[in-house]
Structure formats: C-alpha cells, structure tokens
Amino acid sequence: MTTQSQNSFSEWPIVVGAIIFLGGVAAIAIAKKTGIIEYETATRAAGITMGMILAVFGNFFPKIARPLSDKLNVTAKALAADRASGRIMVFAGLVYTTLWLVPAFSTDWLKLFGPLAVLCVFAVVAINQVWIARADILPFQNGKPKTVAEWKRSGMFIIMHALAWAFAMLLADFIWGDDSRIWMLVVFIVTNGWLSNRAVRSMPTAE
Amino acid sequence: MSKIFKALSDPTRRRVLELLRHRPMSAGDISNQFDVSRPTMSAHFAVLREAGLVESQKHGKSVVYQLQLSVLEDALLAFAQTFGWELRSQPAKNTPSTLQGPVKK
C-alpha cells in the first residue's frame, strides 16, 4: 500500500508565470484595440504567446501530472507516457512559436495550419495517454482515494482540455467566422465546467 | 534552479536518475547498485528530492523513488550525461561527492 509522497516541488512559480502570460495576452488585446500595434503584429504576438503557453505547459506536464497507480510497473509505463506527452507538446509549442516569428509564413497560412497541427498533437497525446498509460492512472475515476496527486493530475488534464479548445476556436474562427466561435465557447464552458466539477468533488481534505 | 544544477553535477546522482528512468525503485534497490554507504546514498536522495527531481513514496516498509522531471530538466540531465558535468568548486569533506565510490557493474 502506498502512503503519502514527499516532494519539494512548488507550483507557485507556474501560477505566477500563468498570470504573466495572461497579462501579456490582455496587453496585446488592449494595444490592438487602441491602435498602438497593427493587426498583423497583434496576430503574430498572440500566435507566439499561444505557442509559448503550449511549450511551457508541455514542459511541466510530466512533473505535475503524477501517476496514481500503486503498481510499480503501471507507474513506470505512466511516467514514460507522461514524458513522451510532455516532449511532444514542448516540441509542438516551440515549432508553433518559431513559425509565427518568421515573416515568410503568412498569417492566413499559419491561422489555418498552426491550430490544425496543434490539434493533431493533442490527439496524439490523448492516444498516448489512453493506450500507453492505461486506465489505472487516468484521472476522474470513481472509487479511488481522493489524493493531492489525483487532484493535480485532473487539473493538468483540465488545462490541456482548455488549451485544445483554444486552438480549436482559433481554427473555427478562421474557417467559419464569429458565430462558430461563440457556439464553441458555449460548448467549452459546459465541458470544462463538468470536468472542473468532477475535479473539485475529488479535492483532497488531507494527504 | 541552482539546486537542480547542483543535483545534476554529481555523477552518482545522475546515475540514480538514469536508473529511475526505467522504473521506480526502492531506496535499497538503488543503493545496491552503488559501492557506497547507506548514509551517503541517503544524502544523495535528499539532494535529488530537495531539487524536486525525484519524489518518494512509502510502499509498506520500503521507500520507493520515482522521477519527477520536467522536459527541460530531462534535457539538462541528458546534456549533463553527454558532456559529463562536474561541480568545479572544491567539495567539502564528507559530502556525498567526496564519499562516492565506483558504480557496481
């Protein structure tokens, strides 16, 4: 039987980093609205920020999303799957950021193929998680101990879900326009609310 | 970040991380792979845990260690392994670095 885990890793720098990222996105939006920066520059800055968010999330994914199984062989597979998922997302984020930095690639081309490629990456990560890590370590399971590890893992999957929706909305906005974005936002709020509700219900009282 | 560099600068600790890359291992199993005393190994484990590179869990009577590396830390470990990072400063007496022995083959 497994009892409490000991680690000295703190998530606070990540929370501060996320706030800085959000502040950056808000600053870009305000600068665009007030005409300080042009549409093209704002679009590229937003693309670079999205790529960096993906890379930073991928970097911390294997560190925070800890396996939940008591069985060591399952844990070993889960750790390998998490490392692979993290590397794929970091690579995708860095490539995405780099492409938005290169003026040779037009914003129209990047708006179509960038989110499409990132959504393919999320699909690969999801398949990797399901097929390699197996059901033992997946989050949101009933009947499992409500531990900090389970809560953190669930949290990482909620962020991943939100990121996937963000890229899907960018793609839908480019292809179908504003209406599709609004409908997708509604579905996102419902699905993310459902996932968050499940995570909150499994929030630990103590570990 | 300095804790991470310190942890990765020691060959024994890097070897421990390489062992844990394959599977989680108990403290005893890891110690058996090295020709060093248990207190020395405990000091190495403490440095790794302090840097947040491993996490420990109690499984019954044994303590099991597993990797807790970010992608960047994983890359730093690979870099350190390839180029054989060593801490350049003079190590203090009785620190894990000065007490380490050869790795058992």
Side-chain angles (χ1 to χ4, degrees), chain A residues 1-206:
Chain A
M1 197 189 112
T2 308
T3 57
Q4 83 267 30
S5 65
Q6 280 188 8
N7 72 65
S8 56
F9 173 65
S10 167
E11 283 86 12
W12 279 110
I14 300 169
V15 174
V16 173
I19 292 166
I20 291 169
F21 264 129
L22 287 174
V25 172
I28 292 167
I30 292 165
K32 188 182 147 194
K33 281 275 179 201
T34 52
I36 297 170
I37 55 172
E38 292 170 5
Y39 173 78
E40 165 102 8
T41 314
T43 309
R44 284 193 181 275
I48 291 162
T49 310
M50 288 294 285
M52 285 174 72
I53 289 171
L54 180 62
V56 171
F57 175 76
N59 179 50
F60 286 106
F61 183 81
K63 201 171 179 81
I64 298 174
R66 310 302 297 153
L68 306 170
S69 178
D70 283 349
K71 300 168 201 157
L72 292 186
N73 60 336
V74 175
T75 304
K77 281 181 185 173
L79 286 169
D82 288 346
R83 276 202 300 274
S85 300
R87 283 178 196 155
I88 291 167
M89 286 189 279
V90 168
F91 180 73
L94 292 178
V95 170
Y96 192 85
T97 302
T98 309
L99 289 179
W100 277 103
L101 279 166
V102 180
F105 295 105
S106 75
T107 50
D108 282 350
W109 188 86
L110 288 170
K111 275 178 173 178
L112 177 63
F113 291 105
L116 205 58
V118 172
L119 288 173
C120 291
V121 163
F122 279 121
V124 169
V125 168
I127 292 166
N128 187 31
Q129 288 291 318
V130 171
W131 288 101
I132 303 175
R134 303 282 167 84
D136 277 47
I137 57 94
L138 288 176
F140 312 119
Q141 290 196 98
N142 294 321
K144 284 265 184 185
K146 309 289 186 260
T147 63
V148 171
E150 184 177 4
W151 187 54
K152 282 182 183 175
R153 192 170 185 84
S154 302
M156 290 306 276
F157 278 86
I158 289 169
I159 296 170
M160 198 163 85
H161 169 260
L163 268 176
W165 269 100
F167 282 99
M169 280 189 256
L170 284 175
L171 185 63
D173 182 40
F174 179 72
I175 298 174
W176 295 295
D178 278 349
D179 285 348
S180 63
R181 192 174 56 185
I182 291 163
W183 283 111
M184 286 183 79
L185 188 64
V186 171
V187 181
F188 165 72
I189 290 167
V190 172
T191 54
N192 214 53
W194 178 76
L195 287 175
S196 304
N197 182 42
R198 295 213 62 169
V200 168
R201 276 195 292 169
S202 71
M203 196 179 275
T205 48

Side-chain angles (χ1 to χ4, degrees), chain B residues 7-31:
Chain B
L8 292 178
S9 67
D10 185 276
T12 307
R13 290 195 284 269
R14 289 203 299 266
R15 177 91 178 107
V16 170
L17 293 174
E18 281 299 322
L19 288 170
L20 292 175
R21 198 188 282 277
H22 304 295
R23 64 188 171 90
M25 292 172 81
S26 70
D29 285 347
I30 298 169
S31 299

Side-chain angles (χ1 to χ4, degrees), chain B residues 3-62:
Chain B
K3 283 180 184 174
I4 294 164
F5 283 116
K6 183 192 167 193
L8 292 178
S9 67
D10 185 276
T12 307
R13 290 195 284 269
R14 289 203 299 266
R15 177 91 178 107
V16 170
L17 293 174
E18 281 299 322
L19 288 170
L20 292 175
R21 198 188 282 277
H22 304 295
R23 64 188 171 90
M25 292 172 81
S26 70
D29 285 347
I30 298 169
S31 299
N32 288 339
Q33 304 280 323
F34 297 89
D35 214 2
V36 294
S37 65
R38 290 285 165 113
T40 307
M41 281 312 291
S42 294
H44 282 307
F45 292 143
V47 173
L48 288 170
R49 213 172 39 226
E50 186 71 17
L53 300 179
V54 297
E55 85 178 325
S56 62
Q57 281 188 325
K58 270 200 137 183
H59 278 248
K61 286 183 177 175
S62 62

